[in-house]
Amino acid sequence: MFVLYRPHHDPVPDWTPPPAPSDALVLDGTYCRLEPLVAEKHAALLYRAYVGQDHVWAYLPYGPFSSSSQYHRWMRETETDDTVEFYAIKNKVSGDYEGVASYLRIAPGAGSIEVGNINFSPALQQTRAATEALYQMMAWAFDAGFRRFEWKCDALNQGSRRAAQRLGLSYEGVFRQAAVVKGRNRDTAWFAAIDREWPSLKEAFRVWLDPSNFDSDGTQKERLSDLTQLVRAAEDPSLIG
């Protein structure tokens, strides 16, 4: 008798969906603190960080905002969106709120969660606080039991693609004509890390964030992208060369 063989994926024994991030989740690190975004507390302070920096909104589906009240209104509406969890990022070195990021496409049943809506002011960009903020979001997700941590960005946003790869997320391709944003087509680049990669990535972050990795003038000795390179399953071809 001829029996047709159908391949199967590996079983996931004793799978229990992880909890979704709560509205009260606070992530407190050495260089930064992430707090649930609250318009009354954070809107005016964050708006101040973005004033005169309209370019930071280029690849986001909202912004720039012409006034603090307009930004406050957007933030108040965002607070009521149950599908996304936004966080204000406080840089402990400067003492200021200098950026935001969020969890979205939160799918506990699949064990998948995405980081997005990342908007770091120029003051926060390329700082240890910025890297630690994303590390903390990744760490919470995997420690909570998620199997997959995603990053998606406009395919034209080379800065975001470079940041995803630096953090150890592997390139998974480009979804063509994935959305229409601000009246323009958007192709979306996908990156992700999975749970079996997390122990090695966590060690890479530990080494990079350690104060001993920096000279007295703050210059890094080892690059995070070098530390995560061996963990990444695939490289972004647009960043090669």
Side-chain angles (χ1 to χ4, degrees):
M1 178 185 295
F2 175 76
V3 177
L4 179 64
Y5 172 73
R6 293 185 174 86
H8 297 281
H9 290 290
D10 294 336
V12 184
D14 304 319
W15 167 244
T16 301
S22 75
D23 293 337
L25 177 65
V26 173
L27 303 174
D28 199 11
T30 302
Y31 305 109
C32 71
R33 174 183 169 90
L34 283 75
E35 305 171 358
L37 195 66
V38 177
E40 293 301 325
K41 179 177 181 180
H42 300 120
L45 298 173
L46 281 166
Y47 180 77
R48 189 182 308 157
Y50 298 129
V51 168
Q53 308 292 337
D54 286 359
H55 64 279
V56 301
W57 305 96
Y59 293 108
L60 291 168
Y62 42 81
F65 299 94
S66 60
S67 67
S68 179
S69 60
Q70 188 182 59
Y71 185 50
H72 187 281
R73 188 160 51 251
W74 169 84
M75 194 179 291
R76 197 169 59 240
E77 293 170 356
T78 300
E79 282 185 67
T80 65
D81 187 347
D82 294 333
T83 66
V84 63
E85 292 291 342
F86 263 88
Y87 299 92
I89 302 170
K90 183 175 185 177
N91 185 337
K92 288 187 171 183
V93 176
S94 67
D96 296 326
Y97 291 95
E98 297 176 346
V100 302
S102 77
Y103 290 121
L104 68 160
R105 294 184 178 86
I106 304 163
S112 177
I113 192 169
E114 180 181 343
V115 63
N117 295 296
I118 300 166
N119 194 358
F120 292 173
S121 70
L124 184 60
Q125 292 172 17
Q126 299 182 346
T127 65
R128 276 175 266 186
T131 297
E132 187 186 50
L134 295 169
Y135 159 69
Q136 287 193 89
M137 294 186 75
M138 198 185 305
W140 180 87
F142 284 123
D143 290 348
F146 283 89
R147 305 170 61 236
R148 175 177 169 85
F149 184 84
E150 297 182 335
W151 176 304
K152 305 185 186 85
C153 63
D154 190 310
L156 296 178
N157 190 347
Q158 287 297 107
S160 187
R161 293 174 72 153
R162 191 174 297 107
Q165 183 161 286
R166 172 179 176 267
L167 293 170
L169 282 74
S170 298
Y171 174 74
E172 295 187 337
V174 171
F175 281 43
R176 299 172 299 160
Q177 296 188 184
V180 177
V181 177
K182 296 178 178 176
R184 295 181 180 273
N185 172 65
R186 171 174 145 158
D187 298 343
T188 297
W190 285 49
F191 297 81
I194 57 177
D195 52 0
R196 68 169 174 262
E197 298 163 347
W198 175 238
S200 296
L201 290 177
K202 185 176 183 179
E203 176 62 13
F205 280 108
R206 186 197 66 77
V207 170
W208 190 84
L209 287 166
D210 192 286
S212 66
N213 188 44
F214 297 88
D215 293 335
S216 57
D217 62 356
T219 302
Q220 64 183 350
K221 298 176 183 177
E222 292 196 72
R223 300 191 309 168
L224 183 59
S225 58
D226 292 339
L227 294 169
T228 61
Q229 185 174 18
L230 293 177
V231 186
R232 298 192 296 266
E235 302 288 301
D236 184 342
S238 75
L239 303 178
I240 297 174

